[in-house]
């Protein structure tokens, strides 16, 4: 994969595909992690005298210009972080975009409006996508792929544009890929993976592939209840995916066959309902009352998981251990995060909600070796899939 150093960018228009898909509350950015992660690559291009044209998506406007999905607030925040003006184009590839790019001087930065305002960006129709890609490519001389959170998408700005322009991977994509390689090839052992989050069905592929690689798999969060049920335990009103029980039983067998230690919760916080102030008690994971739902792992499980992480040399963690958005049920997630922070292992956090949990709980982000900016992308990589955006950069 070519990197930024391989491109001669001075005085040239460089289209940077970034991942600026941040959570917004009205026009207020509630977590600017992804914008901050995109800054080093943009700054490096600025310092080398490029005319930097940034493009990105926000949310799911589904091919239409919808003001609530505008990237305008993001342009403002990016400008603050870069400490220089970021010109904002009020369309993606139209008159405004062309005029904005035309006025850029060397070292200046522009941000185009939300790529997903254009139906061509996400189109499954190759010709439609390609036509949009050509218009986008027409705005620049070179392409830098740095939107790691989108590299698993076969979208125009991710997959087609790098095939039309000389290209390189940005620093963020380079760093993310280097980390993921350490999790898949010649991984230092013991290799322990902690999985949680809401749905087991989101993570079937990754579980299947990781079972061939890891020494230990710790399962918490909402998905743990489908595992407990597959072992024959009742889980009350806890999150359960009935249709995944057979698949999960297969994972339990596979783990046993391969000698992978699969560790499930031994106790849970069982609440009377899904609410921040729901009454709750610690109960055995094998004895969840019928009228209760498990919203977090219990104190013995927190200790157990910490013990199972203690000798690890490599740890990948994806998915909160409980409903961390409610303070009363954030303790399990905090315990796992703290175990990683206290560990000497190479520790990687993947998953948008997991990364958000680290920040929400006020934990130091530099306590981990790496926090991935791309949940879906890192999971698909760990599933062993080919990611379109990386394949296009490698060509
Ligand atoms: P990530 O984005 O890190 O991959 P997911 O999207 O898979 O994580 O899951 C995050 C969500 O899982 C959080 O919103 C959290 O509230 C929810 N969750 C975790 N544990 C439970 C539980 N026991 N019951 C219901 N939801 C849960
Ligand atoms: Mg998520």
């Amino acid at each position: 994969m070519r990197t930024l150093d391989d491109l001669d960018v001075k005085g040239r228009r460089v289209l940077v595909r970034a991942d600026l898909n941040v959570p917004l509350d009205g026009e207020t950015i509630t977590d600017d992690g992804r914008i901050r992660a995109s800054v080093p690559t943009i700054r490096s291009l600025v310092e080398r005298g490029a005319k930097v044209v940034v493009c990105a998506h926000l949310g799911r406007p589904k091919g239409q210009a919808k003001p609530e999905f505008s990237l305008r607030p993001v342009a403002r925040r990016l400008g603050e972080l870069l400490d220089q003006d970021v010109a904002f184009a009020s369309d993606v590839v139209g008159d405004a975009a062309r005029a904005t790019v035309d006025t850029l001087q060397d070292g200046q930065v522009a941000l185009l409006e939300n790529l997903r305002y254009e139906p061509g960006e996400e189109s499954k129709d190759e010709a439609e996508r390609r036509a949009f890609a050509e218009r986008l490519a027409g705005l620049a001389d070179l392409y830098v792929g740095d939107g790691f959170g989108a590299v698993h998408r076969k979208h125009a700005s991710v997959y087609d544009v790098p095939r039309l322009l000389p290209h390189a991977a940005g620093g963020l994509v380079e760093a993310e890929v280097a980390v993921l390689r350490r999790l898949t090839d010649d991984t230092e052992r013991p290799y322990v993976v902690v999985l949680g989050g809401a749905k087991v069905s989101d993570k079937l592929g990754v579980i299947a592939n990781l079972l061939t690689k890891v020494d230990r798999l710790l399962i918490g969060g909402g998905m743990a209840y489908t595992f407990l049920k597959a072992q024959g335990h009742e889980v009350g009103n806890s999150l359960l995916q009935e249709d995944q029980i057979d698949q999960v039983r297969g994972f339990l067998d596979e783990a046993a066959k391969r000698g992978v230690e699969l560790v499930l919760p031994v106790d849970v916080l069982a609440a009377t309902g899904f609410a921040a102030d729901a009454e709750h008690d610690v109960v055995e994971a094998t004895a969840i009352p019928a009228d209760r739902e498990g919203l977090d792992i219990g104190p013995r499980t927190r200790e157990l998981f910490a013990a199972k992480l203690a000798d690890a040399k490599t740890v990948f963690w994806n998915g909160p251990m409980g409903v961390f958005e409610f303070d009363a049920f954030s303790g399990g997630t905090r315990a796992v995060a703290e175990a990683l922070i206290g560990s000497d292992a190479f520790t990687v956090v993947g998953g948008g909600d997991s990364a958000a949990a680290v920040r929400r709980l006020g934990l130091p982000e530099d306590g981990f070796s790496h926090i991935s900016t791309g949940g879906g992308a890192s999971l698909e990589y760990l599933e062993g899939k080919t990611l379109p955006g990386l394949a296009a950069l490698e060509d």
Side-chain angles (χ1 to χ4, degrees), residues 200-210 247 251 379 382-384:
V200 68
S201 57
D202 289 346
K203 306 197 176 161
L204 295 174
V206 85
I207 296 172
N209 203 35
L210 285 174
Q247 176 95 33
F251 290 149
L379 287 181
L382 293 176
E383 274 179 48

Side-chain angles (χ1 to χ4, degrees), residues 197-198 203 221-222 225 239 274 294-295 318-320 322-325 351-354:
K203 306 197 176 161
Y225 302 97
L239 203 66
F274 189 88
L295 294 188
N318 168 278
V323 185
F324 71 94
E325 295 92 338
D353 290 293
S354 311

Side-chain angles (χ1 to χ4, degrees), residues 291-327:
D291 60 347
R292 294 288 184 106
E293 61 185 296
L295 294 188
D296 198 5
I297 56 173
R300 281 203 298 123
T301 305
R302 296 173 199 180
E303 271 176 43
L304 174 67
F305 282 13
K308 296 289 179 190
L309 286 162
D311 65 343
K313 288 277 190 297
T314 306
V315 182
F316 174 66
W317 169 38
N318 168 278
M321 295 294 100
V323 185
F324 71 94
E325 295 92 338
F326 300 154
D327 288 341

Side-chain angles (χ1 to χ4, degrees), residues 152-391:
H152 58 315
R153 306 288 188 202
K154 196 173 177 183
H155 293 168
S157 66
V158 176
Y159 178 72
D160 302 273
V161 178
R163 299 159 92 203
L164 297 171
L165 291 174
H167 53 263
L172 177 62
V173 161
E174 208 190 329
E176 295 271 10
V177 170
V179 165
L180 289 167
R181 287 216 177 103
R182 276 180 77 170
L183 298 179
T184 43
D185 306 322
D186 298 323
T187 310
E188 250 199 291
R189 296 178 180 282
Y191 179 12
V192 185
V193 168
V194 190
L195 291 179
K199 289 184 174 169
V200 68
S201 57
D202 289 346
K203 306 197 176 161
L204 295 174
V206 85
I207 296 172
N209 203 35
L210 285 174
L211 278 175
T212 69
K213 302 193 185 294
V214 304
D215 299 301
R216 246 174 247 146
L217 184 56
L218 318 185
I219 306 263
M223 72 159 76
Y225 302 97
T226 304
F227 279 83
L228 290 167
K229 181 81 179 183
Q231 286 189 326
H233 308 300
E234 289 310 318
V235 297
N237 294 327
S238 306
L239 203 66
L240 174 66
Q241 287 189 287
E242 298 267 8
D243 55 341
Q244 303 299 331
I245 292 175
D246 280 344
Q247 176 95 33
V248 163
R249 221 173 261 136
F251 290 149
L252 292 168
D253 292 344
E254 181 73 11
K257 207 164 70 197
R258 290 184 174 271
V260 171
E261 197 183 347
L262 203 147
V263 187
L264 294 177
V266 292
D267 60 351
V268 306
L269 297 193
T272 51
F274 189 88
D277 59 356
E279 261 179 63
H280 55 275
D281 302 291
V282 177
V283 305
E284 295 293 298
T286 53
I288 301 173
D291 60 347
R292 294 288 184 106
E293 61 185 296
L295 294 188
D296 198 5
I297 56 173
R300 281 203 298 123
T301 305
R302 296 173 199 180
E303 271 176 43
L304 174 67
F305 282 13
K308 296 289 179 190
L309 286 162
D311 65 343
K313 288 277 190 297
T314 306
V315 182
F316 174 66
W317 169 38
N318 168 278
M321 295 294 100
V323 185
F324 71 94
E325 295 92 338
F326 300 154
D327 288 341
F329 305 105
S330 64
T333 301
R334 176 183 292 280
V336 162
E338 283 174 347
L340 264 64
I341 290 169
S343 158
D344 297 330
F346 179 62
T347 52
V348 180
V349 183
D353 290 293
S354 311
V358 167
R359 291 191 278 265
R360 186 188 150 94
L361 296 174
L363 297 164
E365 288 176 75
D366 60 3
F368 305 88
S369 307
H370 183 77
I371 299 183
S372 178
T373 52
S378 49
L379 287 181
E380 286 199 18
Y381 189 102
L382 293 176
E383 274 179 48
K385 286 191 181 163
T386 300
L387 308 189
L390 295 184

Side-chain angles (χ1 to χ4, degrees), residues 61-144:
K62 305 224 166 111
Q64 277 173 31
K66 294 188 186 142
E68 66 271 32
F69 293 104
S70 174
L71 278 169
R72 194 181 287 277
V74 173
R76 222 173 290 132
R77 183 72 189 123
L78 181 60
E80 286 166 13
L81 291 166
L82 285 168
D83 201 19
Q84 74 180 72
D85 273 347
V86 170
F88 182 68
S90 59
D91 62 27
V92 190
V93 288
D95 294 342
R98 275 195 304 275
T100 306
V101 173
D102 280 347
T103 59
L104 283 182
Q105 304 291 310
D106 295 359
Q108 291 188 335
V109 181
L111 175 62
L112 305 178
E113 184 53 285
N114 193 341
L115 287 163
R116 293 189 183 170
Y117 279 11
E118 291 286 337
E121 167 67 357
E122 297 180 86
S123 180
K124 297 260 188 298
D125 178 317
E126 301 271 335
E128 187 186 21
R129 226 180 46 232
R130 182 82 180 195
F132 171 62
E134 278 168 8
R135 296 180 68 194
L136 198 54
L139 295 171
D141 308 302
L142 303 167
Y143 174 90
V144 169

Side-chain angles (χ1 to χ4, degrees), residues 2-30:
R2 271 180 302 274
T3 62
L4 283 186
D5 293 336
D6 300 317
L7 292 183
D8 183 10
V9 302
K10 176 140 186 56
R12 312 194 66 195
R13 299 170 303 165
V14 182
L15 184 71
V16 179
R17 177 40 161 118
D19 175 13
L20 304 175
N21 190 26
V22 291
L24 281 176
D25 182 4
E27 290 212 349
T28 308
I29 296 160
T30 52

